[in-house]
Amino acid sequence: MRSPLGLRFVGHSTVRVELAGHAVLTDPVLTNRVSALTRVTPPSTAADHADVDLVLLSHLHGDHVHLPSLRLLSPHVRVVVPRGAGEWLRAKGVRRVDELAPGEELTHGDLRVIGVPADHSGHRWGPRLTHGPQAKAMGHVIEGAGRRVYAAGDTDVFPDMATLTDLDVALLPVWGWGPTLGPGHMNPARAAEAVGLLKPHVAVPVHWGTLAVTGLPQAPGRHGSRMRHLLKHPPLEFAEAVVTAGSATKVLVTAPGEDVLLPDTVAS
C-alpha cells in the first residue's frame, strides 16, 4: 500500500507521483537521447515507470510527448493528452488515450485530474510552424487522498495561477535544456513569481539539469561554461528568490533521479 503522497523527480519534466494508490508520470522522458539532446544525468531505471497506470502529457513538444518513452510503458497505461491530439497519438501506436483541456476534469480511480491553462506554444514543432499536430498546452492539478499537486508542464507566469489554491505541491519549471529560453518558459525569477501567486506548501523545481544539446556541456570556452552552469544553478537561484520574496513555501531542490523528501505534513 503506497503512502498518500510520494514524488520522484525522474528528470526534465518527468515526475513520478504516487498518490491514493496510483502511480502517475508527467511528460515521461525515460531514454538517454531525445533527438539532438542527451541525458547528462544517470539513466532512468525501470523503477521510475514500474506500475504506472496514468500518464499526463502537458503539450506536444518532443521533450514532453516523447514517443520512444511512451512505448516503454505498458499498453494498458491510460495516457491523457491535450484535447485535439488524441487521434494523432493513437496513430503513433499509443492504445489507451484520453483527451483533456483546460477547464475540464476526469477521474481515474481515486484520483481527480483537473486541466489548467499554460502560457506556452502547443504546436508539435514550435510556435513558428503551422503544419503538423497542434493542441493547447496545459498543466494539471492532481487530487487524491486529501492532497493537491500542480504539475505546470511548460509555461510562463499567468495571472490565473492565483486561482489554483490549496496546493500541497507545485512542480514548477525553472529552466530548460539549452543556453537560452524561448517564450513561454520560466527562469528562476519568474518561477519565484509563480510561487507568489500559487502559494503552495512545497515547490519542487523541475525542467532543469537533465538534457543538453549533445556535446555542449563538454565544449571549451564560454559556451560550454555557461551550459555547465545552467545544468546546476537554476533550482538554487529559484530557491534563493523564493526566500528573498519572503514566501512561506518550502523549496525542495531534488536532483534528477532522486526521490523528493517531502515533509511529513505533506506526505502523510
Side-chain angles (χ1 to χ4, degrees):
M1 184 76 176
R2 297 188 180 102
S3 63
L5 178 59
L7 299 175
R8 181 175 180 82
F9 178 33
V10 177
H12 201 52
S13 198
T14 309
V15 178
R16 179 185 173 100
V17 181
E18 296 189 356
L19 182 60
H22 298 276
V24 184
L25 276 186
T26 64
D27 292 345
V29 170
L30 305 172
T31 65
N32 292 331
R33 293 291 299 268
V34 179
S35 186
L37 306 177
T38 298
R39 188 179 181 101
V40 296
T41 59
S44 173
T45 69
D48 293 332
H49 58 271
D51 302 323
V52 164
D53 56 287
L54 181 65
V55 167
L56 302 177
L57 302 177
S58 64
H59 63 292
L60 298 181
H61 292 172
D63 59 327
H64 291 259
V65 176
H66 186 236
L67 297 172
S69 293
L70 292 175
R71 291 170 182 144
L72 293 175
L73 305 176
S74 165
H76 305 295
V77 171
R78 186 182 190 183
V79 179
V80 180
V81 70
R83 185 162 298 284
E87 182 177 353
W88 173 80
L89 193 58
R90 291 185 196 98
K92 298 298 182 181
V94 181
R95 295 186 192 175
R96 191 181 176 195
V97 179
D98 286 300
E99 297 184 344
L100 191 69
E104 298 178 346
E105 60 182 69
L106 58 80
T107 58
H108 182 79
D110 292 328
L111 297 179
R112 181 167 75 133
V113 178
I114 304 161
V116 300
D119 181 4
H120 192 74
S121 164
H123 193 281
R124 174 71 170 173
W125 311 117
R128 296 181 180 86
L129 297 179
T130 57
H131 69 281
Q134 181 160 321
K136 189 180 291 292
M138 62 188 299
H140 303 89
V141 172
I142 310 163
E143 291 185 349
R147 296 288 179 262
R148 280 168 57 88
V149 177
Y150 169 47
D154 265 359
T155 187
D156 200 351
V157 180
F158 56 91
D160 280 354
M161 281 183 170
T163 68
L164 304 178
T165 57
D166 300 322
L167 296 174
D168 293 284
V169 179
L171 308 173
L172 296 177
V174 299
W175 196 254
W177 47 258
T180 60
L181 283 177
H185 294 89
M186 293 191 290
N187 61 20
R190 293 290 280 170
E193 291 179 32
V195 166
L197 294 172
L198 295 162
K199 298 178 173 58
H201 294 297
V202 166
V204 180
V206 300
H207 209 255
W208 67 275
T210 311
L211 301 173
V213 176
T214 301
L216 185 56
Q218 295 79 35
R222 62 186 179 90
H223 296 296
S225 177
R226 174 169 171 76
M227 192 68 249
R228 290 190 291 273
H229 175 89
L230 290 170
L231 287 171
K232 295 181 179 179
H233 287 272
L236 304 177
E237 294 170 2
F238 165 64
E240 183 178 359
V242 171
V243 170
T244 299
S247 171
T249 295
K250 183 177 181 62
V251 176
L252 300 179
V253 176
T254 304
E258 297 293 330
D259 292 334
V260 180
L261 300 179
L262 292 169
D264 289 341
T265 53
V266 172
S268 60

Short mmCIF file of all heavy atoms in Angstrom, two decimals, residues 184-219:
data_model
loop_
_atom_site.label_atom_id
_atom_site.label_comp_id
_atom_site.label_asym_id
_atom_site.label_seq_id
_atom_site.Cartn_x
_atom_site.Cartn_y
_atom_site.Cartn_z
N GLY A 184 7.32 31.56 -23.31
CA GLY A 184 6.51 30.52 -22.71
C GLY A 184 7.26 29.64 -21.74
O GLY A 184 6.85 28.50 -21.49
N HIS A 185 8.35 30.14 -21.17
CA HIS A 185 9.10 29.41 -20.16
C HIS A 185 9.32 30.31 -18.95
O HIS A 185 9.24 31.53 -19.05
CB HIS A 185 10.47 28.97 -20.69
CG HIS A 185 10.43 27.97 -21.78
ND1 HIS A 185 10.35 28.33 -23.12
CD2 HIS A 185 10.44 26.61 -21.76
CE1 HIS A 185 10.34 27.24 -23.86
NE2 HIS A 185 10.39 26.18 -23.06
N MET A 186 9.67 29.68 -17.83
CA MET A 186 10.03 30.43 -16.63
C MET A 186 11.51 30.22 -16.32
O MET A 186 11.98 29.09 -16.31
CB MET A 186 9.18 29.99 -15.43
CG MET A 186 7.71 30.36 -15.57
SD MET A 186 6.74 30.14 -14.06
CE MET A 186 6.69 28.34 -13.90
N ASN A 187 12.19 31.32 -16.04
CA ASN A 187 13.52 31.24 -15.46
C ASN A 187 13.35 31.22 -13.94
O ASN A 187 12.23 31.26 -13.42
CB ASN A 187 14.40 32.40 -15.95
CG ASN A 187 13.84 33.76 -15.57
OD1 ASN A 187 13.03 33.88 -14.64
ND2 ASN A 187 14.27 34.79 -16.28
N PRO A 188 14.43 31.15 -13.17
CA PRO A 188 14.26 31.07 -11.72
C PRO A 188 13.47 32.22 -11.11
O PRO A 188 12.63 32.01 -10.22
CB PRO A 188 15.70 31.05 -11.21
CG PRO A 188 16.46 30.38 -12.32
CD PRO A 188 15.83 30.89 -13.57
N ALA A 189 13.70 33.44 -11.59
CA ALA A 189 12.99 34.59 -11.03
C ALA A 189 11.50 34.52 -11.36
O ALA A 189 10.64 34.81 -10.50
CB ALA A 189 13.59 35.89 -11.56
N ARG A 190 11.16 34.15 -12.59
CA ARG A 190 9.75 34.05 -12.96
C ARG A 190 9.07 32.91 -12.21
O ARG A 190 7.90 33.02 -11.80
CB ARG A 190 9.62 33.82 -14.48
CG ARG A 190 10.05 34.99 -15.32
CD ARG A 190 9.09 36.15 -15.21
NE ARG A 190 7.91 35.96 -16.05
CZ ARG A 190 6.82 36.73 -15.99
NH1 ARG A 190 6.76 37.71 -15.09
NH2 ARG A 190 5.80 36.53 -16.80
N ALA A 191 9.77 31.80 -12.00
CA ALA A 191 9.19 30.70 -11.23
C ALA A 191 8.92 31.13 -9.79
O ALA A 191 7.93 30.71 -9.18
CB ALA A 191 10.11 29.49 -11.28
N ALA A 192 9.79 31.98 -9.24
CA ALA A 192 9.54 32.51 -7.90
C ALA A 192 8.31 33.41 -7.88
O ALA A 192 7.55 33.41 -6.90
CB ALA A 192 10.77 33.27 -7.41
N GLU A 193 8.08 34.15 -8.96
CA GLU A 193 6.85 34.94 -9.07
C GLU A 193 5.63 34.01 -9.08
O GLU A 193 4.59 34.32 -8.47
CB GLU A 193 6.86 35.78 -10.34
CG GLU A 193 7.86 36.92 -10.35
CD GLU A 193 7.83 37.69 -11.65
OE1 GLU A 193 6.74 37.79 -12.27
OE2 GLU A 193 8.89 38.19 -12.07
N ALA A 194 5.75 32.89 -9.77
CA ALA A 194 4.65 31.92 -9.78
C ALA A 194 4.35 31.41 -8.38
O ALA A 194 3.18 31.24 -8.00
CB ALA A 194 4.99 30.76 -10.71
N VAL A 195 5.38 31.16 -7.59
CA VAL A 195 5.18 30.73 -6.20
C VAL A 195 4.37 31.77 -5.43
O VAL A 195 3.48 31.43 -4.63
CB VAL A 195 6.53 30.47 -5.51
CG1 VAL A 195 6.36 30.35 -4.00
CG2 VAL A 195 7.16 29.20 -6.06
N GLY A 196 4.64 33.06 -5.68
CA GLY A 196 3.90 34.12 -5.01
C GLY A 196 2.42 34.09 -5.33
O GLY A 196 1.58 34.49 -4.50
N LEU A 197 2.06 33.63 -6.53
CA LEU A 197 0.65 33.53 -6.92
C LEU A 197 0.03 32.23 -6.42
O LEU A 197 -1.11 32.21 -5.94
CB LEU A 197 0.53 33.60 -8.44
CG LEU A 197 0.91 34.93 -9.10
CD1 LEU A 197 0.91 34.78 -10.62
CD2 LEU A 197 -0.06 36.04 -8.69
N LEU A 198 0.76 31.14 -6.53
CA LEU A 198 0.22 29.82 -6.20
C LEU A 198 0.17 29.54 -4.70
O LEU A 198 -0.71 28.83 -4.23
CB LEU A 198 1.07 28.74 -6.88
CG LEU A 198 1.08 28.73 -8.41
CD1 LEU A 198 2.28 27.92 -8.91
CD2 LEU A 198 -0.22 28.15 -8.95
N LYS A 199 1.19 30.01 -4.00
CA LYS A 199 1.31 29.80 -2.55
C LYS A 199 1.20 28.33 -2.15
O LYS A 199 0.43 27.95 -1.24
CB LYS A 199 0.27 30.64 -1.80
CG LYS A 199 0.45 32.14 -1.99
CD LYS A 199 -0.61 32.92 -1.26
CE LYS A 199 -0.34 34.42 -1.32
NZ LYS A 199 -0.24 34.95 -2.70
N PRO A 200 1.93 27.44 -2.79
CA PRO A 200 1.89 26.02 -2.38
C PRO A 200 2.65 25.82 -1.08
O PRO A 200 3.51 26.63 -0.70
CB PRO A 200 2.60 25.32 -3.54
CG PRO A 200 3.60 26.34 -4.00
CD PRO A 200 2.92 27.68 -3.85
N HIS A 201 2.37 24.74 -0.39
CA HIS A 201 3.16 24.40 0.79
C HIS A 201 4.60 24.08 0.39
O HIS A 201 5.55 24.47 1.08
CB HIS A 201 2.54 23.21 1.52
CG HIS A 201 1.21 23.49 2.12
ND1 HIS A 201 1.02 24.43 3.11
CD2 HIS A 201 -0.03 22.97 1.87
CE1 HIS A 201 -0.25 24.48 3.44
NE2 HIS A 201 -0.91 23.61 2.70
N VAL A 202 4.73 23.36 -0.73
CA VAL A 202 6.04 22.91 -1.20
C VAL A 202 6.14 23.20 -2.69
O VAL A 202 5.17 23.01 -3.44
CB VAL A 202 6.23 21.39 -0.94
CG1 VAL A 202 7.42 20.84 -1.71
CG2 VAL A 202 6.37 21.12 0.55
N ALA A 203 7.30 23.65 -3.14
CA ALA A 203 7.59 23.79 -4.57
C ALA A 203 8.79 22.91 -4.91
O ALA A 203 9.79 22.91 -4.18
CB ALA A 203 7.88 25.25 -4.93
N VAL A 204 8.68 22.20 -6.02
CA VAL A 204 9.77 21.36 -6.50
C VAL A 204 10.19 21.87 -7.87
O VAL A 204 9.40 21.83 -8.81
CB VAL A 204 9.36 19.87 -6.59
CG1 VAL A 204 10.52 19.02 -7.10
CG2 VAL A 204 8.87 19.36 -5.24
N PRO A 205 11.42 22.38 -8.01
CA PRO A 205 11.87 22.84 -9.33
C PRO A 205 12.14 21.67 -10.26
O PRO A 205 12.82 20.70 -9.88
CB PRO A 205 13.15 23.62 -9.02
CG PRO A 205 13.63 23.06 -7.71
CD PRO A 205 12.41 22.62 -6.96
N VAL A 206 11.60 21.74 -11.47
CA VAL A 206 11.79 20.69 -12.48
C VAL A 206 12.21 21.37 -13.79
O VAL A 206 12.39 22.58 -13.86
CB VAL A 206 10.50 19.85 -12.67
CG1 VAL A 206 10.09 19.18 -11.37
CG2 VAL A 206 9.35 20.70 -13.21
N HIS A 207 12.37 20.54 -14.83
CA HIS A 207 12.72 21.05 -16.17
C HIS A 207 14.10 21.71 -16.15
O HIS A 207 14.31 22.78 -16.69
CB HIS A 207 11.64 22.02 -16.66
CG HIS A 207 11.49 22.06 -18.16
ND1 HIS A 207 11.95 23.10 -18.92
CD2 HIS A 207 10.92 21.19 -19.02
CE1 HIS A 207 11.67 22.88 -20.19
NE2 HIS A 207 11.04 21.71 -20.28
N TRP A 208 15.04 21.04 -15.52
CA TRP A 208 16.42 21.54 -15.43
C TRP A 208 17.37 20.36 -15.26
O TRP A 208 16.98 19.28 -14.81
CB TRP A 208 16.60 22.50 -14.24
CG TRP A 208 16.46 21.82 -12.90
CD1 TRP A 208 15.30 21.57 -12.21
CD2 TRP A 208 17.51 21.22 -12.11
NE1 TRP A 208 15.56 20.88 -11.04
CE2 TRP A 208 16.91 20.66 -10.96
CE3 TRP A 208 18.89 21.13 -12.27
CZ2 TRP A 208 17.65 20.00 -9.98
CZ3 TRP A 208 19.64 20.47 -11.29
CH2 TRP A 208 19.01 19.91 -10.16
N GLY A 209 18.61 20.55 -15.62
CA GLY A 209 19.69 19.66 -15.23
C GLY A 209 19.70 18.27 -15.81
O GLY A 209 20.47 17.43 -15.34
N THR A 210 18.87 17.99 -16.81
CA THR A 210 18.72 16.61 -17.28
C THR A 210 19.18 16.43 -18.72
O THR A 210 19.90 15.48 -19.03
CB THR A 210 17.25 16.17 -17.17
OG1 THR A 210 16.74 16.47 -15.88
CG2 THR A 210 17.11 14.68 -17.45
N LEU A 211 18.75 17.32 -19.61
CA LEU A 211 19.05 17.21 -21.03
C LEU A 211 19.88 18.40 -21.49
O LEU A 211 19.71 19.51 -20.99
CB LEU A 211 17.75 17.17 -21.84
CG LEU A 211 16.76 16.03 -21.55
CD1 LEU A 211 15.47 16.24 -22.32
CD2 LEU A 211 17.38 14.68 -21.90
N ALA A 212 20.74 18.15 -22.46
CA ALA A 212 21.52 19.23 -23.07
C ALA A 212 21.82 18.85 -24.52
O ALA A 212 21.84 17.66 -24.88
CB ALA A 212 22.82 19.47 -22.31
N VAL A 213 22.06 19.85 -25.33
CA VAL A 213 22.50 19.59 -26.70
C VAL A 213 23.77 18.75 -26.64
O VAL A 213 24.70 19.06 -25.89
CB VAL A 213 22.76 20.91 -27.45
CG1 VAL A 213 23.31 20.64 -28.84
CG2 VAL A 213 21.47 21.73 -27.54
N THR A 214 23.78 17.68 -27.40
CA THR A 214 24.88 16.73 -27.33
C THR A 214 26.23 17.43 -27.51
O THR A 214 26.44 18.16 -28.48
CB THR A 214 24.71 15.64 -28.41
OG1 THR A 214 23.47 14.96 -28.18
CG2 THR A 214 25.84 14.62 -28.35
N GLY A 215 27.12 17.23 -26.57
CA GLY A 215 28.47 17.77 -26.63
C GLY A 215 28.63 19.16 -26.05
O GLY A 215 29.76 19.58 -25.75
N LEU A 216 27.54 19.90 -25.87
CA LEU A 216 27.67 21.28 -25.42
C LEU A 216 28.26 21.40 -24.01
O LEU A 216 29.12 22.27 -23.77
CB LEU A 216 26.32 21.99 -25.49
CG LEU A 216 26.32 23.49 -25.16
CD1 LEU A 216 27.31 24.25 -26.04
CD2 LEU A 216 24.91 24.07 -25.31
N PRO A 217 27.86 20.58 -23.04
CA PRO A 217 28.46 20.73 -21.71
C PRO A 217 29.97 20.48 -21.69
O PRO A 217 30.66 20.95 -20.78
CB PRO A 217 27.72 19.68 -20.87
CG PRO A 217 26.44 19.46 -21.58
CD PRO A 217 26.78 19.59 -23.04
N GLN A 218 30.48 19.75 -22.68
CA GLN A 218 31.92 19.47 -22.72
C GLN A 218 32.68 20.48 -23.58
O GLN A 218 33.92 20.41 -23.68
CB GLN A 218 32.17 18.06 -23.28
CG GLN A 218 31.64 16.94 -22.41
CD GLN A 218 30.13 16.72 -22.55
OE1 GLN A 218 29.58 16.89 -23.64
NE2 GLN A 218 29.48 16.35 -21.47
N ALA A 219 31.97 21.40 -24.19
CA ALA A 219 32.61 22.35 -25.10
C ALA A 219 33.53 23.29 -24.33
O ALA A 219 33.23 23.69 -23.21
CB ALA A 219 31.55 23.15 -25.86
#
